Amino acid sequence: MMSLTDLIRSAVKESIKGLYGDIAEPLDIQITPTKPEFEGDYTVVFFPLIKVLKRRPDELGTQLGNKLLELYPASFSKFNVIKGFLNLSFSDSLLSDFLRENFINGSFGTQPSNGKTVMVEYASPNTNKPIHLGHLRNIFLGWSMAEILEANGFKVIKSSIINDRGIHICKSMIAWQMFANGATPESTHTKGDHFVGNYYVRFNDVYQEQIAALVAEGMDKKQAERDAPIMKEAQEMLVKWEQGDEEVRSLWATMNGWVYKGFDETFKRIGIGFDKVYYESDTYLLGKDYVKEGLEKNILFKKEDGSVWIDLNDVKLDEKLLLRGDGTSVYITQDIGLAVQKFEEYSLEKSIYVIGDEQLHHMKVLKEICRKLGFGFADAIYHLSYGMVELTTGKMKSREGTVVDADDIVEEMVQTAAAHTAELGKVEGTTEEDLKALYETLGLGAMKFYLLRVDPKKRMLFDPKESIDFHGFTGPFVQYTYARIKSILRKAAVSAETISFSKSDSLLPLERQLMLLLETYPNVLADSAREVNASLVANYAFSLAQLFNSFYAEHSVLKAENNEKQQLRLALSLFTANVLKSALKMLGINAPERM
RNA sequence: GGCCCCGUAGCUCAGUGGAUAGAGCAACAGCCUUCUAAGCUGUGGGUCGAACGUUCGAGUCGUUCCGGGGUCACCA
């Protein structure tokens, strides 16, 4: 179905044609919602026409308005003209037809399959430490974008690449060997990722002590960093790992297993998952073949020491190393290989990487290298970059212990939800099990909404006080609005199919506003997919909830003036509930039936 | 230093060339015998970092400057 703004656009074109004939140059006519202080639903900004047609604004506007009413009497009821603005009002019948056709449709706004596949790579944790707040922004963004793209007709492959090899995991392993005495997550009742993370911290503590000791003996700091015994051991272990040493590989597999078990618990609790998981231990050798090919084609060049480079100066990106002198690969080498693998395996329309903005440069380089190597998919690589999450106390630094742990913050949010719910005492008679689920729904809803409501590309401030607030621009506010509507619908005790209303003249302002806002939902979904920006959906969900609450306070549904009104308002309420539920789903948030 | 991002109310953020720049929080004043007050209504609060330019029209586009951040690894 055509959106209302598209309807106006085409109607305006027809009207201009009818009035003035064909106009040579294509006009870009802007259509915006009418400001509340003026009468009307949408405003046609026709300033550009004044110049082209050389007419007085009021004359032109009036002629245009009259023509629109003449040609589309069923759609428009009235208009007014102020300067270059033509404020149009839709007829009540058009709006109620719209309501009637869509209020029952739970998937309003979503598109049928378009046959295209998109991959969203997100989360991509390291296996040496637990997930923290910054990862949560990444994870919620990735999940949300996957939902939004799916709603826009794409088949979405949710993927993750787990950074499971390298010096970082060797550090945890060394520390475990030295200090654990065979302890395991089970024996210490510790979540696996935290368990391993603790040894990573332990490694760094010892490492710092050793450096300090060496420096105290008069060694240069840089030298000390290289010579610290524990670091040497970690490096030796990495070499053994690469040689496939059985003992090292076995310990590596065991410790990573602990981490995965911990991650899985967290992922399950926050309600996210993946279709395809890549492991760096499988992919780190990928990409070398393409480098060799590029070398043969003279796209790349070799330096005297045998290292292979690409010259990106033409796009202001300097030179980039692709293979070390000893033939081993660097990070971007495997990125190239994995990128190819993704496109080959899934014939992707687009490959989205949810990665922090500190890697903007890296991703630009990756894309450019792919382009230079002649990969057709280069332009389909999209970096969804997001800003760092900062704390009111400053940046999160693992070394300084200022990292907000994901499991901790989620638990805190859920506890807050529980306390708040108990305080309000509105859900008495609910089973223990349902209550528990509700607390999770609310706590996670608050958390996810808080991290998704801000434009992803901007860095954001995490204010603990604000984040656990369940009032105002928050997830629970939207959830509450949904629960309120469901309460009305339960009390009305009608099934959706039986709701019907026929003539509905005299729509009240708030009823019109709700219909108009509901009508824009498909556009919001499309925009957020096109712009790869989930915050548009969060903002929309809030606006809709806000507007419904105003409507709710002003007009009664169950005690409406007459039966016709009641039916219309029931439809309007159900429609709003459907869209709120859908919008929340796009953010990975559940909608509670009561709260 | 080169390149990139950001700068809007006390704070956190919307605002995708259009009318007198909007929300939430915080502050203050109201609203529950009426569908869930996790709500609603109202008040106060702004030289949109600065200047110049383009335009009928600039928070939005351009240039320069100021302030904040990121990045420019044979790290991942």
Side-chain angles (χ1 to χ4, degrees), chain A residues 117-368:
Chain A
T117 305
V118 172
M119 178 175 279
V120 179
E121 180 196 283
Y122 69 107
S124 302
N126 287 355
T127 55
N128 62 328
K129 48 181 177 249
I131 292 165
H132 61 68
L133 186 56
H135 292 120
L136 286 182
R137 189 178 195 194
N138 178 310
I139 288 168
F140 296 151
L141 271 171
W143 178 269
S144 178
M145 279 322 303
E147 289 284 337
I148 290 166
L149 289 163
E150 231 165 74
N152 279 276
F154 293 93
K155 182 182 179 202
V156 180
I157 312 288
K158 295 190 275 281
S159 80
S160 195
I161 169 133
I162 298 192
N163 188 351
D164 64 343
R165 51 141 243 129
I167 192 72
H168 62 271
I169 183 67
C170 290
K171 291 178 181 176
S172 302
M173 286 157 68
I174 284 291
W176 184 86
Q177 280 186 332
M178 291 171 73
F179 307 111
N181 291 319
T184 66
E186 290 79 20
S187 74
T188 55
H189 306 288
T190 311
K191 196 158 160 286
D193 50 337
H194 291 262
F195 180 84
V196 172
N198 289 342
Y199 287 99
Y200 185 72
V201 172
R202 188 71 183 269
F203 173 95
N204 279 314
D205 290 347
V206 175
Y207 180 43
Q208 292 306 324
E209 283 167 21
Q210 292 183 351
I211 291 172
L214 289 172
V215 169
E217 288 166 22
M219 190 183 279
D220 170 73
K221 181 149 192 237
K222 283 224 164 112
Q223 186 68 32
E225 280 168 5
R226 273 194 296 269
D227 284 4
I230 196 165
M231 179 57 90
K232 288 201 154 176
E233 283 198 63
Q235 269 152 359
E236 276 163 30
M237 186 174 256
L238 181 60
V239 172
K240 279 189 184 169
W241 183 92
E242 283 179 0
Q243 288 164 346
D245 180 279
E246 253 179 64
E247 197 186 328
V248 170
R249 286 286 181 136
S250 160
L251 175 62
W252 170 76
T254 302
M255 289 186 71
N256 272 342
W258 293 337
V259 173
Y260 298 149
K261 207 173 162 210
F263 283 170
D264 284 347
E265 266 180 55
T266 303
F267 292 157
K268 193 174 173 209
R269 184 172 196 190
I270 64 181
I272 65 114
F274 306 97
D275 304 307
K276 173 78 184 180
V277 176
Y278 297 99
Y279 294 91
E280 210 184 289
S281 51
D282 296 328
T283 65
Y284 80 108
L285 294 174
L286 292 176
K288 284 189 180 186
D289 293 345
Y290 304 111
V291 173
K292 278 172 197 147
E293 259 175 57
L295 204 52
E296 283 159 19
K297 292 184 191 161
N298 285 322
I299 299 166
L300 312 178
F301 66 93
K302 209 171 224 179
K303 289 198 176 171
E304 277 178 15
D305 63 355
S307 56
V308 181
W309 297 72
I310 188 165
D311 185 354
L312 299 175
N313 276 302
D314 57 330
V315 285
K316 294 183 181 175
L317 288 170
D318 287 325
E319 292 177 351
K320 176 72 190 176
L321 175 99
L322 295 180
L323 281 181
R324 296 190 183 100
D326 62 6
T328 57
S329 44
V330 288
Y331 196 68
I332 201 148
T333 320
Q334 69 156 329
D335 276 347
I336 298 165
L338 183 56
V340 175
Q341 191 173 310
K342 285 175 172 179
F343 280 94
E344 279 178 354
E345 192 174 353
Y346 296 104
S347 2
L348 301 173
E349 179 77 12
K350 204 176 200 179
S351 184
I352 297 175
Y353 294 71
V354 185
I355 306 180
D357 61 8
E358 72 274 9
Q359 291 197 40
L360 269 164
H361 181 260
H362 177 84
M363 291 303 294
K364 247 191 228 172
V365 168
L366 173 64
K367 195 166 171 161
E368 195 53 38

Side-chain angles (χ1 to χ4, degrees), chain A residues 35-181:
Chain A
K35 297 241 165 199
E37 55 267 38
F38 301 97
E39 189 183 11
D41 298 326
Y42 279 92
T43 298
V44 180
V45 184
F46 64 89
F47 282 100
L49 271 175
I50 298 170
K51 224 178 184 180
V52 177
L53 295 172
K54 300 195 173 72
R55 269 167 223 270
R56 293 205 343 262
D58 52 346
E59 180 198 337
L60 184 58
T62 306
Q63 283 183 346
L64 189 53
N66 281 324
K67 195 69 181 174
L68 281 164
L69 258 61
E70 179 197 325
L71 291 179
Y72 302 89
S75 300
F76 305 114
S77 61
K78 57 187 165 185
F79 71 91
N80 62 79
V81 178
I82 300 167
K83 294 191 282 183
F85 303 100
L86 169 64
N87 301 321
L88 272 172
S89 297
F90 286 113
S91 69
D92 284 352
S93 65
L94 180 92
L95 292 179
S96 10
D97 285 350
F98 161 73
L99 174 63
R100 189 167 19 250
E101 281 161 30
N102 296 291
F103 77 90
I104 211 167
N105 178 9
S107 52
F108 174 74
T110 66
Q111 305 300 322
S113 168
N114 59 20
K116 294 170 181 168
T117 305
V118 172
M119 178 175 279
V120 179
E121 180 196 283
Y122 69 107
S124 302
N126 287 355
T127 55
N128 62 328
K129 48 181 177 249
I131 292 165
H132 61 68
L133 186 56
H135 292 120
L136 286 182
R137 189 178 195 194
N138 178 310
I139 288 168
F140 296 151
L141 271 171
W143 178 269
S144 178
M145 279 322 303
E147 289 284 337
I148 290 166
L149 289 163
E150 231 165 74
N152 279 276
F154 293 93
K155 182 182 179 202
V156 180
I157 312 288
K158 295 190 275 281
S159 80
S160 195
I161 169 133
I162 298 192
N163 188 351
D164 64 343
R165 51 141 243 129
I167 192 72
H168 62 271
I169 183 67
C170 290
K171 291 178 181 176
S172 302
M173 286 157 68
I174 284 291
W176 184 86
Q177 280 186 332
M178 291 171 73
F179 307 111
N181 291 319

Side-chain angles (χ1 to χ4, degrees), chain A residues 441-493:
Chain A
T441 294
L442 296 177
L444 284 168
M447 187 78 225
K448 291 179 180 182
F449 197 93
Y450 187 84
L451 290 175
L452 288 172
R453 67 185 202 184
V454 183
D455 186 343
K457 71 170 185 283
K458 296 190 179 176
R459 55 199 156 86
M460 64 173 293
L461 191 78
F462 184 85
D463 182 344
K465 268 202 305 255
E466 198 182 41
S467 70
I468 55 166
D469 191 355
F470 291 177
H471 305 270
F473 189 19
T474 66
F477 174 90
V478 180
Q479 291 172 317
Y480 174 68
T481 309
Y482 177 81
R484 267 181 145 184
I485 298 175
K486 293 309 290 226
S487 173
I488 295 175
L489 296 173
R490 275 193 302 273
K491 286 192 172 142

